[in-house]
Amino acid sequence: MTLRLTDDETAALRRRAEQESRSMQEVARQAVREYVENHSRSELLDAVLDTELPRYAEALERLGQ
């Protein structure tokens, strides 16, 4: 895989890596892991809500009154 960044993105990544005393690769890999993890959680939550929310719609409606 090749990751092409703009000059600004490269500079920002370099600064972040220097601030953390880590390599640019380490910082980028962590960012990818966090992105995938966060989006996976979001998709799981959406799926649960899609299936469970209708089950409790009446009760939630009554609570809102």
Side-chain angles (χ1 to χ4, degrees):
M1 181 184 120
T2 301
L3 178 63
R4 290 180 177 83
L5 301 174
T6 65
D7 291 342
D8 289 342
E9 292 167 337
T10 300
L13 180 59
R14 182 172 284 116
R15 282 192 305 274
R16 174 56 54 193
E18 288 172 358
Q19 289 171 354
E20 296 179 10
S21 299
R22 300 186 325 160
S23 71
M24 292 172 57
Q25 180 177 338
E26 287 177 296
V27 174
R29 288 179 66 212
Q30 180 180 352
V32 170
R33 282 192 304 273
E34 289 174 4
Y35 177 88
V36 169
E37 185 177 302
N38 289 339
H39 283 11
S40 295
R41 282 189 200 143
S42 176
E43 290 168 3
L44 177 60
L45 180 59
D46 287 347
V48 169
L49 289 175
D50 286 346
T51 59
E52 296 300 322
L53 200 54
R55 275 178 61 186
Y56 300 104
E58 184 180 336
L60 290 170
E61 180 67 31
R62 281 189 266 151
L63 285 171
Q65 294 177 355

